[in-house]
Amino acid sequence: MKRKPILLLWLLLIVVVLSGCWNSKELSHLAIVSAIGVDKLPDTAHYRISFQVVNPSEISSDVQGGGGKTTAITVFADNGKTLFEVIRKASRKAPRELLFSHVKVLVIGEPLAREGITELFDTFERLNQTRLTTKVLVARNATAETVLGVVTPMEEIPADAMAGKLQFSASLWSENVEYTIDDIIRALVSMGKEPVISGVVIQGEPERGATQANVRRTTPDATIMMRGLAMFKEGKMQRWLDGVEARGTVRLLDKVKSSAVELECAEEKNVLSIELTRSKTSKKVSIHNGRPKLEVSIIQEGNLVEMKCAIDLTRMHELMKLEKKWSQQTVKDVTAAIQAARKQQVDIFGFGESLNRSNNKEWKRVVKDWDALFAQSEIQVKADSFIRNTGNRIKSYMQQQP
Amino acid sequence: MNTPKISAGQLFALIILFVFGTAIAVNYGLDAKKDAWIAILLGTFSGCLLFMLFSYLYRQYPDLTLTCYTQRIMGKYVGWLLGMIFVLYFIYDAARDVRDAGELLNTSVYDATPIFVLNAVMLLAIAYVLDKGLYVLARLSEIFIVIIAASGIVGSILVFASRIIDLNNLLPVLEYGWKPILTTTYPSTFIFPFGEMLCFSMLFPLLKNPELQLKTGLLAIVLSGLALSYTIAIDIAVLGADISSRSIFALLTMVSKVNIADFLQRLDPIALFTMLIVDFFKIAMLYYAAVIGTADLFQVKPSRKLVVPVGCVILITSMSITGSFNEHLLEGKLSISNFQLMVVVGIPLLLAAVHLIRKYIGKGQSVDP
């Protein structure tokens, strides 16, 4: 008898609670942002921030939805002093509320990178929609806004295309690294390590890349490409590392998964190619008479996959000669990278962190002038290479020819 | 509310869920930076000692709750006053944990929902369970301990499988020596969550096998302490000491990094779910202790009549306790090193001392109250 009104009250409350509508956001009112670009307006304190927003009707698999009428994405951009200000300002241009849970890539314009990126990431940590797993890139010779606007083949959403290019070039070619926001923050905070960020360039004509026509051609007018590593010091970009230096850097960061290595054949000008399959870098730092000694040792394995000369691979010592040559070349790559970093007095490899781990007391003594000490350090690089197999053939058909 | 008895297994489950409580979400151990896991292990060890003190008091009065034997030991008036302090402490602590849960939901997903509503919904669920009796809560704990253990194991596998762990982040151990670890352990990781287990003293008289109380309790504390320490170590290994110590909910940030084959990702809701379940049990235990304590002090029978009024007090306290989350966390640290320390360590020590003095000096004389 007495329980009935109470029961009724419970039921009423359950109705209120179960519907869960308080925080509801309708999907049809949301615009999914796939990439964010940040540029600096010259001579002001203002940022120009661009959002790559997915056009839902274009990427839906629904055949009746039409498709092909507009581009798969639209770029909205606005100016402001903070990222959040621009997010809200963008509501004047975007017809829906921007949703940041699916941001794949953050692109930083090169001029801004050179001015400093230290203050950039704070809001990404604070807001609950943004994620630390967003990948970071620096736009090379272009504004981040133009990079975001290039329409890409195969992946309808350019941000996915960028993320894919970064991921696969980092794991198959190993001249850049797939760093996310939290990696950058860790490096910015650390006393014994400075960040590097992969670069992205537009190859071709950026103007034409922004139209749907770009993907109607078999050879797009503009292509987005990963290229080089931006080296930072105290949050400010110093220079680009390319080719050998970039390779060496990735080695020292121990992020090499696989790569293609070219070695010269013995006497001739020809080359042979090795598929790098495993690489492990260990770093050791010690201090002798106040001068750091950096010891790097690399163990690498690979397969010989292409040869333009007739080396007799049935003879073990030929293979060992190749292994030795390969080791020498790796040592050269790594040394070039260290030299480049020493010249700028930036420890991008985390030698300082290594020292902290192995000899905490010594590190505390040198931490204040580590950059200068790093620049005059003694280097010792060692590589051990193993060619595990030579593919489906041992002898080359060229060997049979006179 | 007190006819059926609590089994040793249920006590075990309740203690583990209680210790995980808010500790797994908001972790103060991170004041010790990358050595937080050591601070928690130290806290666990000290927590065991404190639990032995609680058990000692309980064994002197196996049929009485904390508030009852306080009155026995200290006399009617002083004892009643101390009992009141305990009850107020339980209410305050429950309110803090309710607020933690509300803030957790508010900052992570329900950004447009008022915290009052989130807190009220949480308390409504707990009040319902307590209205059904402690036995229902105990059986519930048996179910949820399995769920929590399973999500812990699955979560660990996912974290390991997505290769985001970098053990270098935990090195060098003792970078700043023992001092920061000790100042974090005493009082932070010691009182929070192990000191708060004082509320279990309100439940011990309901045990089915009183002789297993100490063994079960210590086992549960050690296991949950190890699990907490492990969780924090993983947080640091994934995020680094800097990001995890600056995150308000390090576990949530850590789990958001899980990504297996671009398919298994965005697991934060699962972590959130886990954090809410354990917090539910922690609030429920403190809430229960507050209800029983109030019933004892004011001679209200049956005690379930007090579930709704005490719940209302907790709800209002959880809202008025602080104006912002920053203040909430700051106040947590401050109260732990001051009055929480007094209540959960100081008063029980005093009780034990007075008890011993009465036992040995007052030998021969009648010590009946």
Side-chain angles (χ1 to χ4, degrees):
Chain A
M1 290 291 273
K2 229 177 103 186
R3 299 188 78 115
K4 258 194 183 157
I6 298 173
L7 201 72
L8 212 68
L9 197 73
W10 275 112
L11 280 175
L12 274 173
L13 278 169
I14 284 168
V15 168
V16 173
V17 174
L18 279 187
S19 62
C21 281
W22 206 305
N23 234 97
S24 72
K25 279 180 181 167
E26 294 297 326
L27 195 59
S28 55
H29 293 160
L30 292 175
I32 297 168
V33 178
S34 52
I36 300 179
V38 191
D39 291 299
K40 190 91 182 219
L41 289 180
D43 307 321
T44 57
H46 284 67
Y47 293 109
R48 179 159 183 87
I49 295 165
S50 34
F51 305 103
Q52 186 184 82
V53 177
V54 177
N55 285 332
S57 61
E58 279 305 312
I59 56 156
S60 72
S61 51
D62 188 3
V63 204
Q64 292 173 329
K69 290 193 192 86
T70 59
T71 48
I73 50 112
T74 305
V75 177
F76 297 105
D78 219 318
N79 306 336
K81 276 188 180 146
T82 65
L83 180 68
F84 193 72
E85 181 195 343
V86 182
I87 290 175
R88 287 298 160 94
K89 245 186 183 174
S91 62
R92 300 181 305 177
K93 292 180 184 169
R96 299 177 174 191
E97 185 183 340
L98 299 182
L99 177 80
F100 291 92
S101 305
H102 298 273
V103 177
K104 281 247 166 93
V105 192
L106 169 69
V107 183
I108 302 164
E110 189 176 330
L112 171 62
R114 288 193 186 273
E115 245 178 77
I117 55 166
T118 321
E119 330 81 66
L120 213 59
F121 303 103
D122 187 66
T123 191
F124 286 91
E125 277 195 318
R126 285 182 200 280
L127 297 181
N128 61 13
Q129 282 186 358
T130 47
R131 289 179 182 261
L132 294 180
T133 45
T134 305
K135 297 176 175 71
V136 187
L137 292 169
V138 174
R140 209 168 164 173
N141 302 329
T143 59
E145 194 183 348
T146 27
V147 170
L148 292 198
V150 175
V151 180
T152 52
M154 290 187 73
E155 290 282 1
E156 275 173 304
I157 302 168
D160 287 345
M162 270 190 268
K165 284 168 194 183
L166 181 60
Q167 183 192 338
F168 288 106
S169 67
S171 62
L172 298 176
W173 181 236
S174 297
E175 265 184 25
N176 42 32
V177 282
E178 198 180 352
Y179 271 174
T180 52
I181 290 182
D182 59 324
D183 291 317
I184 310 294
I185 294 174
R186 264 194 296 278
L188 281 173
V189 169
S190 168
M191 303 291 283
K193 190 178 184 179
E194 299 279 353
V196 286
I197 302 179
S198 300
V200 55
V201 287
I202 306 173
Q203 214 177 30
E205 302 152 66
E207 301 269 297
R208 302 177 72 166
T211 62
Q212 190 66 23
N214 195 36
V215 290
R216 294 245 167 81
R217 290 170 53 101
T218 50
T219 49
D221 290 323
T223 310
I224 288 177
M225 185 172 90
M226 299 298 137
R227 206 175 117 214
L229 281 172
M231 175 204 268
F232 284 81
K233 183 181 186 180
E234 280 151 16
K236 290 186 176 72
M237 187 187 147
Q238 302 294 306
R239 56 166 285 200
W240 287 101
L241 296 168
D242 279 305
V244 173
E245 289 171 347
R247 268 171 183 242
T249 306
V250 180
R251 285 285 190 149
L252 283 160
L253 293 169
D254 202 13
K255 293 280 180 196
V256 172
K257 289 183 193 108
S258 178
S259 185
V261 184
E262 279 180 5
L263 298 179
E264 272 171 32
C265 291
E267 298 85 23
E268 301 133 85
K269 281 274 174 223
N270 287 331
V271 289
L272 55 86
S273 218
I274 289 172
E275 178 198 11
L276 177 74
T277 51
R278 206 179 78 88
S279 161
K280 172 89 194 129
T281 310
S282 359
K283 285 173 286 196
K284 213 180 117 192
V285 186
S286 49
I287 303 235
H288 297 286
N289 304 328
R291 193 169 162 225
K293 185 177 172 194
L294 318 176
E295 287 166 82
V296 180
S297 76
I298 294 170
I299 297 172
Q300 53 187 358
E301 289 176 16
N303 310 324
L304 196 151
V305 288
E306 189 173 345
M307 200 158 67
K308 298 211 180 297
C309 46
I311 295 176
D312 188 1
L313 293 174
T314 52
R315 292 159 68 190
M316 263 323 280
H317 82 267
E318 289 287 353
L319 214 55
M320 279 159 81
K321 247 176 25 194
L322 284 179
E323 286 176 346
K324 205 173 159 197
K325 201 179 266 176
W326 185 17
S327 298
Q328 283 167 351
Q329 185 170 323
T330 308
V331 169
K332 232 162 55 188
D333 288 3
V334 170
T335 313
I338 301 183
Q339 297 289 18
R342 287 204 310 183
K343 216 167 165 188
Q344 308 284 330
Q345 303 201 351
V346 217
D347 177 11
I348 47 176
F349 316 110
F351 280 111
E353 282 186 354
S354 299
L355 178 62
N356 186 14
R357 281 195 286 272
S358 59
N359 192 342
N360 178 233
K361 277 183 194 140
E362 197 80 63
W363 168 245
K364 274 185 193 153
R365 246 200 314 277
V366 298
V367 60
K368 265 189 198 146
D369 27 43
W370 175 245
D371 286 343
L373 281 173
F374 171 72
Q376 31 173 293
S377 55
E378 187 189 336
I379 329 174
Q380 198 181 77
V381 187
K382 197 176 81 197
D384 282 314
S385 314
F386 303 93
I387 296 175
R388 296 295 186 198
N389 73 50
T390 56
N392 280 332
R393 300 288 183 274
I394 292 180
K395 275 189 178 178
S396 165
Y397 61 85
M398 285 176 273
Q399 227 174 304
Q400 319 298 336
Q401 289 164 359
Chain B
M1 213 167 175
N2 52 6
T3 29
K5 297 258 178 174
I6 307 287
S7 73
Q10 288 168 339
L11 178 70
F12 179 79
L14 279 173
I15 292 182
I16 288 204
L17 292 170
F18 181 89
V19 171
F20 281 172
T22 37
I24 209 154
V26 196
N27 211 298
Y28 299 105
L30 281 161
D31 286 347
K33 298 277 169 181
K34 62 181 81 168
D35 295 325
W37 58 280
I38 304 178
I40 292 172
L41 287 183
L42 264 182
T44 311
F45 173 70
S46 332
C48 287
L49 296 181
L50 192 64
F51 189 76
M52 282 154 95
L53 172 67
F54 298 160
S55 303
Y56 170 78
L57 285 170
Y58 157 65
R59 265 179 283 122
Q60 309 308 310
Y61 303 92
D63 301 323
L64 297 181
T65 58
L66 173 69
T67 42
C68 284
Y69 64 68
T70 306
Q71 291 180 61
R72 245 340 140 70
I73 295 173
M74 301 301 288
K76 214 172 169 193
Y77 299 104
V78 182
W80 194 90
L81 200 71
L82 289 180
M84 195 63 209
I85 291 177
F86 283 138
V87 169
L88 289 176
Y89 167 70
F90 294 144
I91 289 178
Y92 170 75
D93 209 16
R96 281 196 63 80
D97 292 332
V98 173
R99 182 73 181 224
D100 280 340
E103 294 283 0
L104 171 64
L105 284 170
N106 191 252
T107 43
S108 56
V109 264
Y110 296 98
D111 54 350
T113 313
I115 289 183
F116 181 79
V117 176
L118 298 170
N119 287 359
V121 171
M122 186 80 177
L123 272 171
L124 211 62
I126 297 170
Y128 178 72
V129 172
L130 289 186
D131 189 62
K132 293 290 167 203
L134 182 71
Y135 190 57
V136 174
L137 183 73
R139 276 186 301 179
L140 203 61
S141 74
E142 286 179 308
I143 300 172
F144 277 112
I145 190 79
V146 178
I147 295 177
I148 296 299
S151 62
I153 292 166
V154 173
S156 295
I157 292 172
L158 291 179
V159 170
F160 278 100
S162 48
R163 300 198 188 178
I164 44 179
I165 292 181
D166 179 7
L167 287 180
N168 279 339
N169 283 330
L170 286 167
L171 296 173
V173 178
L174 299 179
E175 184 173 355
Y176 304 100
W178 280 98
K179 210 181 149 217
I181 297 180
L182 290 174
T183 49
T184 314
T185 307
Y186 306 104
S188 273
T189 57
F190 167 44
I191 300 300
F192 176 90
F194 301 104
E196 293 170 298
M197 284 180 62
L198 180 66
C199 67
F200 277 86
S201 298
M202 303 297 289
L203 167 144
F204 290 148
L206 296 178
L207 289 179
K208 207 185 274 170
N209 314 90
E211 70 281 358
L212 287 177
Q213 175 260 357
L214 187 62
K215 227 188 259 173
T216 319
L218 289 182
L219 185 68
I221 291 176
V222 169
L223 272 182
S224 52
L226 287 178
L228 267 185
S229 172
Y230 161 81
T231 312
I232 288 300
I234 296 285
D235 284 350
I236 299 169
V238 172
L239 298 172
D242 168 67
I243 297 184
S244 26
S245 62
R246 282 186 300 110
S247 338
I248 294 177
F249 307 110
L251 182 67
L252 207 60
T253 315
M254 187 271 279
V255 169
S256 72
K257 282 217 65 181
V258 170
N259 180 3
I260 296 174
D262 281 337
F263 168 67
L264 268 175
Q265 49 183 347
R266 324 257 145 118
L267 298 177
D268 345 11
I270 295 172
L272 201 64
F273 190 58
T274 313
M275 284 147 90
L276 282 178
I277 290 173
V278 288
D279 204 18
F280 175 94
F281 280 94
K282 186 167 190 177
I283 300 166
M285 279 309 302
L286 290 162
Y287 187 170
Y288 168 80
V291 169
I292 294 290
T294 319
D296 267 352
L297 294 175
F298 295 98
Q299 306 287 323
V300 181
K301 272 177 196 157
S303 53
R304 56 175 287 208
K305 269 200 272 182
L306 288 171
V307 167
V308 174
V310 171
C312 289
V313 174
I314 294 177
L315 180 58
I316 293 164
T317 315
S318 79
M319 288 315 296
S320 56
I321 205 168
T322 171
S324 70
F325 195 36
N326 298 22
E327 189 191 335
H328 180 62
L329 292 179
L330 209 67
E331 188 188 299
K333 273 184 201 171
L334 216 73
S335 71
I336 278 174
S337 48
N338 296 307
F339 99 93
Q340 294 206 31
L341 187 70
M342 274 293 298
V343 175
V344 300
V345 185
I347 302 183
L349 271 178
L350 179 74
L351 289 179
V354 173
H355 172 79
L356 282 174
I357 291 168
R358 285 188 129 188
K359 199 164 153 192
Y360 292 110
I361 295 180
K363 209 181 269 178
Q365 299 168 21
S366 81
V367 280
D368 287 320

